[in-house]
């Protein structure tokens, strides 16, 4: 264990998540404390809500550790959906074509034929117009949703993955957006499911269609409230490494885990016999950027604890989705984690020489 305080910059949408890891860390290393600061403020560790680009990494390095290398690893997944303020319409089904229409500003009525066709059991009459809202800076949840839409229906959404939307009303922060959504019936936005639940907003259910790892055909609608399905869906990410050994996880889209990315036994998921291996189809992946300075080991020690089972468990308690075991284990190498004989990281693993 180390001694002292480590600061972590955190996007407003995940405020409190790193504090939850800090509380768990303090139970084994009481001399180590964690302080969250706002995104963009100087800190030797940054949580970002997306797969960071090289420009993101360069900016972090210039601002926080110009003389030291930067380590990048995934931190957790988070389910994303269309979130809206319409009382009594919880669980509307929204296909990729519907989502694309809303995000492009072409679908502006709840009585649009596309919505009516997918939701025959809902009364969509006499409702306010659909009012699209988004944040004016690039967001990981929007990247995840547009990745899914583009892969599922590139004719409806030819733009591919984007982090910002052209249509709709723009806000500077998630807090501003949520305040306006609460005041405007008919408002809708792309947001993490946990944010919707915390703010008592309705969430859309999403379709999944394809073939699972066992060759079973799937054509179903997945509900937005099943934690087990988040875990399965988080395996549908593409994991890559750069020349420095940094690890990156793409948005997890489609609902079908990629081979080698998901282990159902370690996930502790209980599935009915014969049930297809399919999960929630849209998850963003948050990442940690860490200044790697041997003279100041606390940032690396914190990141090492976050990828431990205990650290991931604290994130799950917060409402986020822990990394699948095969991906979690891959973070050990870039983080220089020392592993005990039982295979698990030490309580606060000691950095080893590169």
């Amino acid at each position: 264990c180390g001694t002292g305080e480590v600061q972590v910059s955190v996007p407003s949408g995940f405020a409190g998540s790193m504090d939850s890891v800090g509380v768990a860390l303090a139970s084994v290393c009481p001399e180590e404390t964690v302080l969250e600061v706002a995104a963009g403020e100087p800190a030797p560790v940054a949580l970002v809500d997306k797969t960071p680009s090289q420009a993101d990494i360069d900016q972090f390095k210039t601002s926080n550790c110009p003389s030291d290398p930067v380590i990048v690893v995934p931190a957790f997944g988070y389910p994303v959906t269309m979130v809206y303020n319409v009382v009594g319409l919880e669980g509307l089904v929204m296909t990729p074509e519907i989502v694309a229409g809303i995000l492009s500003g072409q679908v502006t009525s709840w009585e649009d034929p596309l919505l009516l066709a997918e939701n025959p059991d809902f009364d969509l009459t006499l409702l306010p117009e659909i009012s699209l809202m988004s944040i004016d800076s690039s967001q990981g949840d929007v990247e995840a949703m547009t990745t899914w839409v583009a892969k599922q229906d590139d004719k409806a959404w030819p733009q591919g993955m984007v982090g910002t939307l052209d249509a709709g009303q723009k806000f500077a922060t998630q807090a501003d957006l949520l305040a306006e959504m609460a005041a405007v019936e008919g408002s809708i936005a792309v947001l993490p499911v946990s944010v919707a639940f915390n703010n008592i907003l309705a969430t859309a259910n999403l379709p999944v269609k394809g073939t699972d790892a066992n060759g079973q055909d799937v054509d179903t609608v997945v509900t937005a409230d099943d934690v087990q399905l988040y875990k399965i869906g988080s395996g549908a990410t593409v994991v890559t490494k750069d020349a420095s050994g940094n690890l990156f996880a793409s948005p997890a889209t489609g609902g079908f885990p990629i081979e080698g990315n998901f282990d159902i036994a370690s996930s502790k998921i209980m599935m009915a016999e014969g049930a297809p291996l399919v999960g929630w189809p849209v998850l963003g992946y948050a990442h940690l950027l860490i200044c790697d300075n041997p003279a100041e080991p606390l940032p690396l020690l914190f990141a090492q604890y976050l990828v431990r089972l205990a650290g991931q468990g604290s994130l799950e308690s917060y409402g986020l989705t822990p990394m699948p075991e095969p991906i979690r284990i891959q973070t050990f190498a870039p983080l220089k984690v020392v592993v005990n004989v039982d295979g698990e990281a030490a309580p606060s693993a000691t950095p080893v020489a590169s």
Side-chain angles (χ1 to χ4, degrees):
C1 292
T3 300
E5 177 186 87
V6 59
Q7 295 188 349
V8 185
S9 67
V10 181
S12 61
F14 295 119
S17 62
M18 297 300 98
D19 284 340
S20 70
V21 177
V23 170
L25 174 59
S27 69
V28 291
C29 297
E31 300 303 316
E32 290 185 48
T33 58
V34 177
L35 176 66
E36 287 190 1
V37 299
E41 291 191 17
V45 183
L47 178 74
V48 294
D49 68 349
K50 59 182 180 178
T51 309
S53 65
Q54 188 59 51
D56 296 325
I57 298 169
D58 292 344
Q59 182 178 12
F60 173 79
K61 178 177 174 63
T62 299
S63 301
N64 298 284
C65 41
S67 301
D68 301 314
V70 175
I71 297 173
V72 182
V73 292
F76 55 80
Y78 59 97
V80 173
T81 193
M82 300 301 293
V83 176
Y84 49 95
N85 177 13
V86 184
V87 177
L89 292 190
E90 175 67 41
L92 284 177
V93 176
M94 293 194 183
T95 63
E97 186 178 8
I98 292 171
V99 174
I102 293 172
L103 299 186
S104 64
Q106 296 177 3
V107 172
T108 59
S109 170
W110 298 100
E111 294 185 72
D112 187 282
L114 293 174
L115 278 163
L116 291 174
E118 295 295 331
N119 299 278
D121 296 330
F122 287 89
D123 181 4
L124 302 179
T125 62
L126 303 177
L127 296 173
E129 289 289 292
I130 292 174
S131 177
L132 177 65
M133 300 180 179
S134 66
I135 297 172
D136 60 11
S137 57
S138 185
Q139 300 295 305
D141 46 20
V142 175
E143 288 190 358
M145 182 60 73
T146 55
T147 297
W148 176 69
V149 173
K151 287 183 177 180
Q152 299 296 313
D153 194 339
D154 59 357
K155 291 182 179 179
W157 188 262
Q159 298 95 315
M161 184 186 78
V162 299
T164 57
L165 301 173
D166 293 332
Q169 189 175 359
K170 307 294 189 297
F171 298 88
T173 68
Q174 188 182 93
D176 293 337
L177 181 150
L178 289 169
E180 187 68 9
M181 285 192 72
V184 177
E185 187 178 7
S187 56
I188 191 167
V190 179
L191 288 169
V193 172
S194 59
V195 172
F197 291 165
N198 290 340
N199 289 273
I200 320 177
L201 293 167
T203 53
N205 295 335
L206 302 178
V208 175
K209 187 174 183 179
T211 305
D212 76 355
N214 300 316
Q216 186 170 344
D217 290 335
V218 177
D219 188 354
T220 188
V221 171
V222 182
T223 61
D225 59 356
D226 191 327
V227 173
Q228 291 196 142
L229 299 184
Y230 307 158
K231 292 182 178 180
I232 297 172
S234 69
T237 178
V238 176
V239 178
T240 55
K241 292 182 181 179
D242 68 9
S244 300
N246 289 325
L247 200 68
F248 303 85
S250 71
T253 62
F256 299 104
I258 294 174
E259 184 177 0
N261 279 357
F262 183 75
D263 177 56
I264 193 166
S266 62
S267 70
K268 300 179 181 178
I269 290 174
M270 302 296 294
M271 295 183 62
E273 185 175 354
L277 186 62
V278 60
W280 183 253
V282 186
L283 291 96
Y285 257 94
H287 287 66
L288 285 182
L289 281 64
I290 308 118
C291 293
D292 184 19
N293 181 353
E296 298 180 5
L298 284 181
L300 187 56
L301 290 170
F302 168 78
Q304 291 171 340
Y305 183 81
L306 182 142
V307 303
R308 284 193 67 222
L309 289 175
Q312 292 288 291
S314 66
L315 291 168
E316 185 173 10
S317 298
Y318 178 84
L320 303 169
T321 303
M323 290 182 284
E325 190 69 359
I327 297 175
R328 187 181 75 89
I329 290 173
Q330 289 183 65
T331 67
F332 289 4
L335 290 176
K336 311 173 189 179
V337 169
V338 176
V339 178
N340 290 333
V341 293
D342 63 359
E344 181 52 65
S348 189
T350 303
V352 296
S354 302

